[in-house]
Amino acid sequence: MCGIIGFAGREEAAPILLDGLARMEYRGYDSAGIAVRSNQWGLQAKKSRGRLERLYELTHGGKDLDGPLGIGHTRWATHGEPNDCNAHPHISEDGRIALVHNGIIENYMEIKEKLIREGVRFASETDTEVAVQLLAYYYKQCGSMLEAVGKVLHRIEGSYAFGIICADYPNALIAARKDSPLILGFGEKGNFIASDVTAILKYTRDVIYMEDGEIAVITADSIDVFDQEFTPIEKKVNKIEWDVSAAEKGGYAHFMFKEILEQPEAIRKTIAPRIRDGKIIFDNFLITPEELKNLSRIYIIACGSAYHVGAICKYTWEKLLRRPVEVCLASEFRYSDPLVDKNTLAIIISQSGETLDSMAALREAKRLGARTLAIVNVVGSSIAREADQVLYTWAGPEIAVATTKAYSTQLILMDLIGLYLGDLLNTISKEDYQIILRQIETLPEKMRACLSKLDDAQYLASRHFNHNSIFFIGRNLDYAMGLEGSLKLKEISYIHSEAYASGELKHGTISLIEPGTLVIALGTYHALFDKAMSNVVEVKARGAEVLAITTESYRERMEKIADDTISVPDVHPILQPSLGIIPLQLFAYYVALQRGCDIDKPRNLAKSVTVE
Ligand code: AGP
């Protein structure tokens, strides 16, 4: 996902812009650039394909661009391949306006053709360049940059977070947002715009979250926000409570490894505020007990790993609530003509709270009358603000593109909510409620026990990092957990892998199993352990090598047939995936390490996908 930074201040902007872009590298990008309003040269811009190091070289660490006002961008290509020309900022034909953009202008081609007919010449293949050329076109007509921005926003369709500077305005930058996140920051050295908090946390903790349709004018001493009719809007200034170190690597080789190790503490921070005197407490929960009893349907809607949390909750919540629970990919939900009414509870799970597919699903569910609950990690994010209620995971900033601690905290928070609702519905006994709750409280220490076995995962990764394809097989909760284990491996090691319900293997996919195929067999769900064992025998009979994940109490039985076995502490079946996922995260990490992959910033991926 693209990253935007802008600065209007009392010192050179370029080094600050480059520093802010470096703090957003984790979002994923393929090119980067900055533009500064120079007292001497009007506008100066430098941009290039590839990593930020190249931009640092091109600008000598920013020293080549002078001036206290500027914008910067890391691009995750949507329209137009990654190259120097398509990188942002995009400059108007007359060289007077620079613009950066996160989002997609859906009617860009129609506008581009019109501007070409008016004689405008384009330098790039991007949709974004249409915005800056259209802005220049309107600016020439009306002579006011703010008014011209308003005209552009009325003319374009799609999603945007814009940062804009103009050679004629030496002290002000303009920002606008619709669907793509943008925050405004009040700093001592000057004021900021940014796609997310990590870019400017070093400079300020006081931020404004822009809403859709808002326009802002930022100078070194002021931030003014307007609606699209230029009516001033009073905005709340939020205090960011994160500690800066949480967004730093802290001596670890990769953010992903640091965040895997942070999971016990992240879990503790997520559950602690919600358990008091042996009871789960959700103050002012969205759904009353009466409404809960009348719920027609529960949807869990998400993408990627967040969807895999939902896949686990399908099993656990139906056990706890004895109600149907439907898990949907957000990108599918919105186009599936879903059965939603006012008695539907729609739960949107999203680490970033900015995933466009999940945001669109949230809006569709609300439009159809559902009550909406968001499970989000980034405080103040768009999904958090648009849902009827938000329950935050307290994982802290997650920088690695491949989620680990956010996934784990989403899962445990959903376990808490499921237990809470089951208790409200009296569909679980008080005894089971207490047993599970007590085990939830001991999870952090059990996770630490799993994390103490780094050597097992590292050794197995050293033996298996050269496969072309790896299969994860499991039943019930193990299958759902395998979905996440497979994605972790795929997204950071680039090895093809798939998770299969092991009972399904014989219906086709077993034809792919041949001598030497690596199968990761998940056997932590005791109720179906014998079935899982028979599936291990099936694949072994066809020459597969089996790495098994099971619990300590079943280790001895598994070791009889698997080639290698990693075991995790025994907990209640509903909680077992929270432990079983840890060796899978570690295995993926060490395989990617062995393969020399870019673990924190895997190719083609972004930390949050704010495009469809
Ligand atoms: C997970 O490792 C991936 N980074 C990706 O699947 C991610 O879970 C998905 O894009 C959803 O992101 P969100 O939780 O921020 O909505």
Side-chain angles (χ1 to χ4, degrees):
M1 181 175 75
C2 303
I4 288 175
I5 178 115
F7 177 70
R10 286 172 284 278
E11 58 180 77
E12 290 304 287
I16 291 174
L17 297 173
L18 291 170
D19 176 62
L21 292 180
R23 295 169 185 278
M24 288 191 287
E25 278 197 293
Y26 77 94
R27 298 162 66 93
Y29 69 103
D30 45 55
S31 55
I34 61 174
V36 175
R37 198 281 174 183
S38 157
N39 299 321
Q40 199 177 355
W41 311 101
L43 279 192
Q44 287 182 291
K46 285 285 183 192
K47 55 187 187 173
S48 73
R49 177 185 179 151
R51 291 290 186 222
L52 273 177
E53 288 76 12
R54 192 157 136 65
L55 191 59
Y56 270 93
E57 285 163 21
L58 274 175
T59 61
H60 295 94
K63 292 191 184 67
D64 294 357
L65 291 84
D66 75 294
L69 179 83
I71 50 178
H73 187 269
T74 47
R75 179 176 183 242
W76 189 69
T78 54
H79 294 65
E81 66 177 80
N83 60 29
D84 293 2
C85 184
N86 289 335
H88 302 205
H90 284 284
I91 312 295
S92 58
E93 201 180 358
D94 62 5
R96 311 281 305 160
I97 306 169
L99 174 144
V100 291
H101 171 222
N102 182 13
I104 289 183
I105 299 172
E106 294 181 355
N107 59 339
Y108 82 98
M109 193 47 85
E110 163 219 331
I111 298 171
K112 184 168 184 174
E113 286 163 1
K114 176 183 180 301
L115 290 171
I116 289 171
R117 285 197 298 275
E118 299 277 344
V120 174
R121 282 168 299 155
F122 283 81
S124 79
E125 312 158 83
T126 65
D127 57 324
T128 301
E129 188 190 356
V130 169
V132 74
Q133 303 299 4
L134 183 64
L135 183 56
Y137 175 80
Y138 285 136
Y139 180 47
K140 272 199 195 86
Q141 283 179 353
C142 66
S144 149
M145 183 49 65
L146 197 55
E147 193 183 327
V149 168
K151 288 173 179 287
V152 168
L153 302 185
H154 279 98
R155 178 74 177 82
I156 63 175
E157 293 160 15
S159 57
Y160 55 79
F162 286 135
I164 299 161
I165 60 173
C166 175
D168 303 339
Y169 294 77
N171 306 310
L173 70 86
I174 295 176
R177 102 152 256 171
K178 176 177 169 291
D179 292 338
S180 293
L182 201 58
I183 61 173
L184 309 172
F186 294 87
E188 283 169 23
K189 302 178 176 176
N191 294 327
F192 295 84
I193 66 171
S195 295
D196 74 40
V197 167
T198 46
I200 57 174
L201 191 59
K202 172 180 169 184
Y203 307 99
T204 178
R205 292 180 178 278
D206 299 324
V207 302
I208 288 174
Y209 297 106
M210 288 188 76
E211 305 281 352
D212 283 357
E214 291 179 347
I215 300 169
V217 178
I218 298 95
T219 68
D221 305 309
S222 64
I223 294 180
D224 296 298
V225 180
F226 308 90
D227 65 19
Q228 291 198 357
E229 281 60 54
F230 302 111
T231 307
I233 301 172
E234 200 57 42
K235 295 289 286 181
K236 176 175 175 255
V237 179
N238 302 272
K239 180 69 79 178
I240 299 300
E241 301 303 338
W242 289 359
D243 59 70
V244 176
S245 64
E248 307 286 348
K249 220 182 280 188
Y252 291 97
H254 299 99
F255 276 110
M256 184 178 176
F257 189 64
K258 171 175 177 259
E259 289 154 7
I260 288 173
L261 299 181
E262 286 175 339
Q263 290 182 109
E265 183 57 10
I267 294 285
R268 187 193 65 75
K269 284 181 179 171
T270 298
I271 62 178
R274 286 135 173 168
I275 301 173
R276 255 175 266 147
D277 305 328
K279 287 289 283 178
I280 300 168
I281 308 291
F282 288 111
D283 297 327
N284 310 314
F285 191 71
L286 177 70
I287 302 278
T288 65
E290 206 41 50
E291 289 168 329
L292 180 62
K293 291 185 175 67
N294 297 324
L295 275 187
S296 57
R297 189 182 292 259
I298 297 173
Y299 276 108
I300 300 177
I301 307 165
C303 302
S305 295
Y307 169 79
H308 298 154
V309 169
I312 288 176
C313 296
K314 160 80 181 167
Y315 294 104
T316 55
W317 276 39
E318 287 193 343
K319 279 180 177 45
L320 292 170
L321 279 65
R322 306 314 297 156
R323 291 274 190 302
V325 174
E326 191 147 352
V327 189
C328 275
L329 289 169
S331 54
E332 288 293 308
F333 174 82
R334 58 188 297 208
Y335 299 116
S336 63
D337 193 12
L339 299 174
V340 172
D341 59 27
K342 64 179 175 44
N343 293 321
T344 302
L345 171 61
I347 301 174
I348 316 294
I349 305 177
S350 174
Q351 184 281 130
S352 64
E354 300 298 349
T355 300
L356 192 63
D357 283 329
S358 303
M359 168 62 88
L362 166 63
R363 289 174 175 166
E364 177 67 1
K366 284 183 79 170
R367 185 184 70 82
L368 296 169
R371 312 293 297 283
T372 57
L373 170 66
I375 306 295
V376 174
N377 193 47
V378 177
V379 175
S381 54
S382 304
I383 289 172
R385 284 180 284 124
E386 288 207 16
D388 296 325
Q389 186 174 39
V390 57
L391 291 176
Y392 285 113
T393 52
W394 300 115
E398 184 176 72
I399 307 301
V401 166
T403 182
T404 49
K405 64 176 183 174
Y407 165 88
S408 295
T409 52
Q410 288 164 356
L411 184 52
I412 202 64
L413 181 51
M414 289 295 284
D415 288 338
L416 276 181
I417 298 169
L419 205 49
Y420 173 78
L421 297 179
D423 183 45
L424 286 184
L425 288 169
N426 292 315
T427 43
I428 52 170
S429 70
K430 298 300 178 204
E431 186 194 4
D432 278 347
Y433 177 90
Q434 285 304 330
I435 289 170
I436 299 170
L437 185 53
R438 273 200 303 277
Q439 294 203 18
I440 286 177
E441 292 183 291
T442 66
L443 262 183
E445 70 187 74
K446 292 196 166 70
M447 292 181 111
R448 287 191 187 90
C450 298
L451 291 167
S452 67
K453 296 182 178 176
L454 301 180
D455 301 349
D456 294 351
Q458 194 164 16
Y459 164 69
L460 292 167
S462 70
R463 287 185 39 220
H464 293 297
F465 67 91
N466 264 327
H467 288 271
N468 294 322
S469 189
I470 295 177
F471 293 86
F472 290 73
I473 65 171
R475 289 179 180 254
N476 197 286
L477 286 172
D478 278 331
Y479 164 56
M481 179 177 73
L483 292 169
E484 177 57 12
S486 170
L487 177 60
K488 285 283 96 47
L489 182 71
K490 275 185 277 197
E491 63 178 330
I492 63 172
S493 74
Y494 313 148
I495 292 177
H496 175 260
S497 111
E498 286 311 323
Y500 282 89
S502 44
E504 187 57 15
L505 216 52
K506 57 187 175 296
H507 298 287
T509 310
I510 200 163
S511 68
L512 296 178
I513 305 298
E514 55 192 9
T517 300
L518 177 64
V519 172
I520 297 179
L522 306 170
T524 70
Y525 185 61
H526 292 170
L528 295 175
F529 183 82
D530 293 340
K531 296 283 182 197
M533 295 270 275
S534 63
N535 296 131
V536 170
V537 172
E538 266 170 29
V539 295
K540 292 274 301 163
R542 285 151 180 89
E545 187 167 354
V546 173
L547 160 56
I549 310 289
T550 188
T551 65
E552 283 154 8
S553 62
Y554 278 60
R555 183 186 181 94
E556 199 176 326
R557 292 178 61 188
M558 184 61 87
E559 280 179 328
K560 291 189 171 71
I561 54 167
D563 298 285
D564 294 287
T565 301
I566 294 180
S567 57
V568 297
D570 290 74
V571 288
H572 190 281
I574 278 179
L575 306 175
Q576 199 65 67
S578 289
L579 298 184
I581 193 62
I582 290 178
L584 300 182
Q585 293 169 341
L586 291 169
F587 180 75
Y589 173 78
Y590 284 119
V591 165
L593 197 61
Q594 289 277 357
R595 294 167 67 90
C597 295
D598 189 345
I599 289 171
D600 284 338
K601 301 188 285 287
R603 68 187 182 200
N604 307 336
L605 290 181
K607 182 58 182 172
S608 169
V609 184
T610 58
V611 291
E612 270 207 85

